[in-house]
Amino acid sequence: MSKPILHDRLPDPPAASETRPRELRSAERRRADVEMSRVLKTNPLRIASDPSNGAIAYWKHGALHDVVEPMLDHVVMTYPAGPQRLERRTGKSAAIGTARPGVVTIIPAGSTSRWDIAGPVSVVQLYLPHTTLQRVAGEARMAAPSDLLERTGHPDSITSRLLLSAADVIEGNAALDNLFRQQLTDLLATRLLTAHVGSSTVVHPTVGGLSPTVLRRAIERLRSDSDADVSLGALAADAGLSRFHFCRAFKESTGLSPHAWLRQHRLDQAMNMLRDTDESVVSIAAALGYSSQTAFAAAFRKLTGETPSDWRKRTR
């Protein structure tokens, strides 16, 4: 996976005493991945991006004593390990927290603050465009979002768990990985809208599953062995629903999310090929869309507890 490209550093932001319209400052903002690389003085161990939904990155970095300058996207982060003290200063106010599992830190788009972290940190970060928040709010019939609240080591086990799962579930299968990230981004946006905006909001989902015809069409697309688009956007468009409502209705009809359904379907295909054909494991991995035999074996073992070769020997 390619590493983010570092851009030349922009001029220092204006002093706090200068007052400038917010919209004029937007031109000074960097992409979040570029600003994080500058501040953390390293590149992420892994980063997966979707132009319409933002990106998820996993970092390990050392001590930090620097100013995070305004970014284009909201940054939401959590920590696989800890503890590590976090100190954040915005103007004359200071916030102190602890990096550890179960907490989140939020840097709203366009904000700037001084950070002091004494030692090494592992962190998973979501870079979320404000347009994604607006889309999810509209689809879920929630109030239009204002900016997110600043958080520093704020307890939120739900958001933390969702973000950590993003770092773990990268299976080396483009269709599965993309679908998972799309679902996860929408889930995280919904969670942020209910727990981390200035005013409380409530989700009002439409009840009911998909009609038999719409469900059959969605499953046909997911089952397709061609280059059919199995993105959440394509599935929802076929159904005539928003992404938010399609995911909810699909799960109500099948008991599984679209990603979980496709993962189970790929597993069933793999088992059939391993049991009924003499195709090599590497050929099966390629046929099912995995980037390598290693990625396929890891995904298979995660679901079955066995390697593909061991499973084949046992079932023949």
Side-chain angles (χ1 to χ4, degrees):
M1 189 173 294
S2 60
K3 296 179 180 178
I5 299 172
L6 298 181
H7 291 190
D8 290 339
R9 193 176 188 275
L10 296 178
D12 290 334
S17 60
E18 296 182 32
T19 58
R20 300 176 65 191
R22 185 183 185 91
E23 58 270 20
L24 293 182
R25 296 202 308 269
S26 64
E28 301 173 355
R29 302 177 189 177
R30 292 189 180 94
R31 290 200 330 262
D33 60 335
V34 173
E35 176 62 4
M36 286 293 107
S37 289
R38 183 193 70 82
V39 170
L40 302 180
K41 299 177 177 59
T42 186
N43 288 320
L45 299 180
R46 295 195 298 275
I47 184 167
S49 62
D50 179 338
S52 63
N53 291 289
I56 296 171
Y58 177 51
W59 303 77
K60 288 188 177 182
H61 65 85
L64 168 63
H65 304 282
D66 204 346
V67 173
V68 175
E69 296 178 356
M71 292 178 283
L72 290 168
D73 303 322
H74 304 297
V75 177
V76 184
M77 59 187 89
T78 194
Y79 311 92
Q84 182 61 260
R85 176 187 169 93
L86 310 170
E87 184 172 336
R88 170 191 204 162
R89 293 186 175 275
T90 306
K92 294 183 179 180
S93 65
I96 295 174
T98 302
R100 58 180 175 80
V103 306
V104 298
T105 293
I106 299 175
I107 305 175
S111 70
T112 183
S113 52
R114 162 82 186 192
W115 284 84
D116 289 287
I117 304 175
V121 173
S122 296
V123 60
V124 178
Q125 297 182 340
L126 168 70
Y127 308 140
L128 186 70
H130 192 67
T131 52
T132 299
L133 277 183
Q134 292 174 317
R135 174 183 60 78
V136 172
E139 292 176 358
R141 295 190 296 164
M142 304 167 77
S146 58
D147 283 342
L148 296 178
L149 297 174
E150 287 192 350
R151 303 291 201 192
T152 307
H154 181 83
D156 182 351
S157 60
I158 295 174
T159 303
S160 177
R161 188 165 58 249
L162 286 170
L163 269 175
L164 290 176
S165 71
D168 290 339
V169 185
I170 302 296
E171 302 189 48
N173 183 296
L176 281 169
D177 292 344
N178 290 337
L179 191 54
F180 174 76
R181 285 194 299 272
Q182 290 159 8
Q183 287 181 195
L184 186 69
T185 300
D186 283 10
L187 280 173
L188 282 163
T190 304
R191 173 61 183 172
L192 294 170
L193 287 164
T194 58
H196 298 288
V197 295
S199 56
S200 60
T201 55
V202 179
V203 179
H204 300 286
T206 303
V207 296
L210 299 173
S211 71
T213 300
V214 171
L215 179 60
R216 183 173 63 253
R217 192 160 59 237
I219 288 176
E220 286 173 354
R221 181 180 282 273
L222 287 168
R223 279 178 173 163
S224 174
D225 292 327
S226 68
D227 293 329
D229 184 356
V230 293
S231 68
L232 200 51
L235 290 162
D238 272 359
L241 295 171
S242 69
R243 287 170 42 158
F244 179 88
H245 289 299
F246 173 78
C247 279
R248 184 209 51 75
F250 186 93
K251 187 169 185 177
E252 185 160 331
S253 294
T254 65
L256 297 170
S257 69
H259 169 262
W261 193 97
L262 182 58
R263 183 174 61 178
Q264 183 60 47
H265 176 61
R266 289 282 194 269
L267 177 64
D268 291 341
Q269 288 180 297
M271 287 178 167
N272 289 336
M273 295 175 75
L274 288 166
R275 182 181 57 244
D276 301 334
T277 77
D278 293 323
E279 291 285 336
S280 67
V281 173
V282 68
S283 296
I284 293 172
L288 295 179
Y290 286 89
S291 59
S292 67
Q293 179 180 346
T294 301
F296 169 60
F300 189 93
R301 186 166 190 167
K302 184 182 294 185
L303 293 174
T304 66
E306 297 178 276
T307 67
S309 297
D310 288 344
W311 189 91
R312 169 178 264 173
K313 291 175 184 175
R314 184 175 60 81
T315 57
R316 281 190 158 187

